[in-house]
Amino acid sequence: MIKKNQSGIWRSVRVAAYGLTLSSVLLVSSVYAGPPTAEVNTTGMAVTDDTVTVGILHSLTGTMAISETGAQQAEKLAIEQINAQGGVLGRKIKIIQEDGASDWPTFAEKAKKLLEDNHVAAIFGCWTSASRKAVLPVLERDNGLLYYPTFYEGLEQSKNVIYTGQEATQQVFAGLDWVAKNKHAKTFYLIGSDYIWPRTVMKLARKYIETVLHGKIVGEEYAALGSTQFGSTINKIRLKKPDVIYAAVVGGSNVAWFKQLKAAGITGKKQTLLTLSVTEDEAQGIGGENLLGFYSAMKYFQSLDTPENKTFVADFKKMWGANAPIGDVTQAAYEGPWLWKKAVEMAGSFDTDKVVKAEESGKITFDAPEGMVYLEPNHHLKTRLRIGEWRADGQADIVYTSPYIMPNPFPKGY
């Protein structure tokens, strides 16, 4: 039989061994069931004695689905693993999933639903900066918590967001340093999709190239999100002959962009191209033959040769299939539920304000597939940058790994 004491914290389990009399009942164990719900949930979240509910909010449809599918898969893997270990504060995690549909107002609407109707304890989601900016007012109004996995432009630090991807000084500046030094680059052609992240990133890149690297921008263009026509831009690139094409084209547009580059004879054998927005997720749709010899600047590549990453890759593919790609944002998304678990357990509560206080302690670390990461008080991770050179099989050879880079979302002069 099972009995619970007055505090509700411990359950004594008595089991009658086969063939023994009632007087021989054996006390097997005492199992931790977690602190009382009234103590860990004072703000009306969806927390019971046995479960805690979270939201997953990514684009499952539309132009961004090619990039966001892996993120939601990684979040589900992390949650399954956490549940197998007993959950968070003795409670198993339940998921409510919503589709942002590659539409920023839809992201805001779904975030409102998750927080106000479903009362989730946290949201793991978004990909583009436009989607994050759309949900931010909802998060701050309802005091919700978002774990955001994408590399982004920086210039933001919200109490209600944990940024598990890199900000610009970690990805952009370190990547430009590498390409200037190793490819002797002096001239750059900038191209991105037309929304907040590429435009802000390129503004930062332009100033860094001109004032720090003393290089020259020979062209700068933006294509509408979802665009598939790059002929005019490619003609300009052929005319300008830059040392480096510096790209931040996102989502499904990447397929057309790289195929058209190859068709125009612009390949990794002839032209240095460094992209901020192609991971293994996009590479699967683009085709490795169209990426061969080009470079990406990311904190993680699936090919990373460490025991921790090999275990992660095996677990991910066991859950999602042998051909499931694992890219930078996918891995950063995997970090979100684990970091949340650590913060909740440090706080001893699911309440947002208490969890945020734990997150800002500077004491939360996670031995992630990419290596150890450190959650800094500014809600960003101290991590490293890697440069990957794309192979024909859609995987990347890591040709550079930086030292650890402290997050600096508000660099002086930018």
Side-chain angles (χ1 to χ4, degrees):
M1 60 181 178
I2 299 175
K3 295 181 179 179
K4 184 184 289 187
N5 69 2
Q6 290 181 348
S7 69
I9 297 179
W10 297 92
R11 293 173 179 169
S12 296
V13 183
R14 293 183 182 273
V15 184
Y18 179 77
L20 299 180
T21 63
L22 186 59
S23 61
S24 307
V25 171
L26 174 67
L27 177 64
V28 176
S29 65
S30 293
V31 181
Y32 184 61
T37 301
E39 291 182 8
V40 301
N41 176 31
T42 66
T43 55
M45 292 179 175
V47 179
T48 70
D49 290 344
D50 303 305
T51 65
V52 54
T53 301
V54 302
I56 289 180
L57 177 57
H58 286 291
S59 295
L60 304 179
T61 57
T63 189
M64 291 309 302
I66 186 177
S67 298
E68 298 193 53
T69 297
Q72 57 92 21
Q73 290 174 333
E75 288 154 358
K76 290 176 181 177
L77 172 61
I79 288 169
E80 180 178 275
Q81 292 175 337
I82 291 168
N83 282 342
Q85 294 182 9
V88 183
L89 292 182
R91 289 156 173 85
K92 296 295 180 72
I93 304 171
K94 293 173 60 178
I95 298 169
I96 295 176
Q97 184 163 9
E98 297 290 346
D99 180 9
S102 305
D103 178 70
W104 323 142
T106 299
F107 268 92
E109 173 190 332
K110 297 299 186 180
K112 182 176 184 290
K113 173 186 175 296
L114 287 169
L115 292 172
E116 297 182 9
D117 296 344
N118 304 124
H119 306 290
V120 298
I123 297 173
F124 304 97
C126 299
W127 199 101
T128 65
S129 287
S131 65
R132 187 192 71 254
K133 291 288 190 184
V135 306
L136 190 58
V138 180
L139 292 165
E140 294 181 340
R141 182 186 67 231
D142 293 336
N143 201 24
L145 191 58
L146 171 70
Y147 284 76
Y148 176 68
T150 314
F151 41 81
Y152 85 114
E153 68 278 0
L155 307 179
E156 181 180 296
Q157 181 183 327
S158 170
K159 164 199 165 184
N160 299 91
V161 182
I162 297 297
Y163 309 82
T164 64
Q166 293 185 312
E167 47 79 23
T169 67
Q170 296 172 302
Q171 186 190 25
V172 176
F173 297 169
L176 287 171
D177 285 339
W178 176 84
V179 79
K181 178 180 179 180
N182 290 274
K183 299 298 180 179
H184 309 292
K186 292 294 184 181
T187 59
F188 297 77
Y189 199 106
L190 314 183
I191 177 170
S193 295
D194 193 5
Y195 72 98
I196 184 172
W197 174 68
R199 282 194 173 272
T200 307
V201 158
M202 292 307 179
K203 181 179 179 182
L204 296 170
R206 173 182 280 273
K207 185 164 186 178
Y208 194 82
I209 289 166
E210 293 176 342
T211 63
V212 178
L213 301 180
H214 305 294
K216 182 180 180 181
I217 307 299
V218 297
E220 183 172 0
E221 300 232 3
Y222 298 92
L225 195 65
S227 176
T228 59
Q229 301 299 321
F230 293 94
S232 176
T233 298
I234 290 171
N235 286 335
K236 293 175 185 177
I237 289 170
R238 295 175 73 174
L239 181 65
K240 296 290 186 178
K241 296 181 173 60
D243 295 331
V244 177
I245 300 171
Y246 193 64
V249 177
V250 306
S253 294
N254 271 308
V255 178
W257 162 237
F258 283 101
K259 285 184 176 180
Q260 289 169 31
L261 281 173
K262 185 180 180 184
I266 299 175
T267 67
K269 289 183 178 181
K270 303 175 182 179
Q271 172 72 59
T272 298
L273 182 150
L274 179 61
T275 175
L276 301 174
S277 53
V278 173
T279 74
E280 288 83 346
D281 297 83
E282 290 80 16
Q284 188 175 67
I286 295 166
E289 69 278 6
N290 298 308
L291 286 171
L292 181 63
F294 292 146
Y295 299 92
S296 282
M298 299 288 162
K299 69 173 184 168
Y300 170 86
F301 292 94
Q302 182 180 317
S303 60
L304 182 62
D305 189 12
T306 65
E308 293 81 7
N309 186 51
K310 288 179 178 179
T311 297
F312 167 65
V313 170
D315 289 344
F316 189 92
K317 290 182 178 293
K318 181 179 179 181
M319 185 170 186
W320 297 110
N323 294 324
I326 307 172
D328 178 280
V329 181
T330 298
Q331 191 269 166
Y334 177 78
E335 294 170 342
W338 287 103
L339 291 168
W340 174 69
K341 169 182 166 67
K342 285 174 173 279
V344 168
E345 292 181 344
M346 179 181 288
S349 174
F350 293 102
D351 293 348
T352 297
D353 290 344
K354 295 174 183 177
V355 174
V356 169
K357 184 177 180 180
E359 290 167 340
E360 294 176 347
S361 68
K363 297 178 180 179
I364 293 178
T365 63
F366 176 51
D367 194 5
E370 67 175 279
M372 189 66 71
V373 296
Y374 304 82
L375 181 55
E376 298 298 320
N378 64 8
H379 290 220
H380 295 72
L381 299 182
K382 181 174 74 172
T383 183
R384 292 174 283 201
L385 178 78
R386 295 178 169 93
I387 302 293
E389 181 178 359
W390 290 104
R391 307 191 308 241
D393 65 356
Q395 292 296 308
D397 292 322
I398 298 170
V399 298
Y400 172 72
T401 301
S402 77
Y404 274 97
I405 306 171
M406 286 293 292
N408 180 19
F410 296 99
K412 290 183 179 180
Y414 292 86

